[in-house]
Amino acid sequence: QSALTQPASVSGSPGQSITISCTGTSSDVGGYNYVSWYQQLPGKAPKLMIYEVTNRPSGVSHRFSGSKSGNTASLTISGLQAEDDADYYCSSYTSSRPVIFGGGTKLTVL
Amino acid sequence: EVQLLESGGDLAQPGGSLRLSCAAFGFTFRTYAMSWVRQAPGKGLEWVSGISGSGGRTYYADSVKGRFTISRDNSKNALYLQMNSLRVEDTAVYYCAKDPTAEVAGLFDCWGQGTLVTVSS
């Protein structure tokens, strides 16, 4: 089973909104409401930003939101800030193993 | 403060072995499932293995099944990964990650800083 599909890169200017997609199958993204999103700053460990499709952990900015339609989940970042410049990974519970990650998306804040 | 601290990463030869450790601080270790997640240089995240809070259930990615063994010592608040028959493609930073539930759900609310494993002759 290969990784969930994410765009390799997205970009946006400060203040704008961007959306990162994460496409899987009915055996993972589409079959469970267990999609998570992680932010990884350069040289750092990943940080949980969204869990169970739409939930934000304590301390995560309200500018980050998640959604899902069918086999595709999405992460939206509104009011882009320079500090959002990072790699973003989606993950999902699957029918065959506990978790599968997406290939990652590099967000560039212009 | 919840903290995870990995150690044991090193240079190993193909076919060799390494044992990674992860020390946990700031939470009731035995209550939570734990996993190892790796990241090859310049690549994405790959879940490697997970273990339930009690240690009674373990899970492995197909890429490491039969070669790696995950274990934990709840009396020492420690997680381990025994890596045998290492391959060049096992080269990666290995992260220890905490699940917010007792069973392995693949949700990671805390990560260590990672330890680098390099497999090369």
Side-chain angles (χ1 to χ4, degrees):
Chain A
Q1 184 177 12
S2 54
L4 303 175
T5 301
Q6 297 181 233
S9 63
V10 298
S11 62
S13 299
Q16 290 184 331
S17 295
I18 63 95
T19 296
I20 300 172
S21 62
C22 170
T23 301
T25 69
S26 58
S27 295
D28 39 66
V29 174
Y32 307 93
N33 286 324
Y34 292 121
V35 176
S36 302
W37 289 91
Y38 299 88
Q39 177 193 63
Q40 187 176 34
L41 298 171
K44 299 295 186 180
K47 173 187 175 183
L48 179 65
M49 305 300 284
I50 296 287
Y51 67 97
E52 294 175 2
V53 181
T54 62
N55 297 314
R56 271 186 311 274
S58 174
V60 172
S61 171
H62 285 70
R63 298 185 297 105
F64 291 82
S65 62
S67 62
K68 190 184 84 167
S69 177
N71 295 336
T72 298
S74 298
L75 172 71
T76 298
I77 308 174
S78 59
L80 270 180
Q81 298 180 1
E83 66 204 48
D84 301 330
D85 198 295
D87 293 330
Y88 291 85
Y89 294 89
C90 64
S91 73
S92 175
Y93 183 82
T94 85
S95 59
S96 59
R97 52 177 154 161
V99 64
I100 186 173
F101 284 98
T105 298
K106 179 173 179 54
L107 168 63
T108 300
V109 181
L110 302 171
Chain B
E1 178 190 3
V2 175
Q3 192 173 0
L4 299 170
L5 188 62
E6 303 96 334
S7 60
D10 204 346
L11 173 63
Q13 292 196 336
S17 298
L18 279 177
R19 189 195 196 205
L20 304 184
S21 299
C22 172
F25 305 92
F27 63 100
T28 307
F29 183 68
R30 65 181 181 274
T31 305
Y32 299 101
M34 300 292 295
S35 282
W36 290 97
V37 178
R38 69 184 180 184
Q39 187 170 33
K43 302 297 184 181
L45 301 173
E46 179 188 16
W47 174 81
V48 172
S49 181
I51 187 168
S52 63
S54 67
R57 281 170 291 282
T58 58
Y59 307 86
Y60 298 93
D62 289 344
S63 57
V64 306
K65 198 171 296 183
R67 301 188 299 121
F68 290 10
T69 302
I70 191 171
S71 63
R72 64 191 296 160
D73 185 337
N74 287 344
S75 69
K76 295 182 178 179
N77 290 352
L79 175 73
Y80 306 102
L81 185 67
Q82 178 65 44
M83 310 166 65
N84 297 332
S85 303
L86 283 164
R87 304 169 179 169
V88 171
E89 55 264 35
D90 294 321
T91 295
V93 172
Y94 284 73
Y95 294 102
C96 165
K98 171 187 167 291
D99 213 304
T101 64
E103 297 300 325
V104 179
L107 171 61
F108 310 117
D109 62 353
C110 183
W111 298 65
Q113 86 290 346
T115 188
L116 177 61
V117 171
T118 303
V119 183
S120 174
S121 55

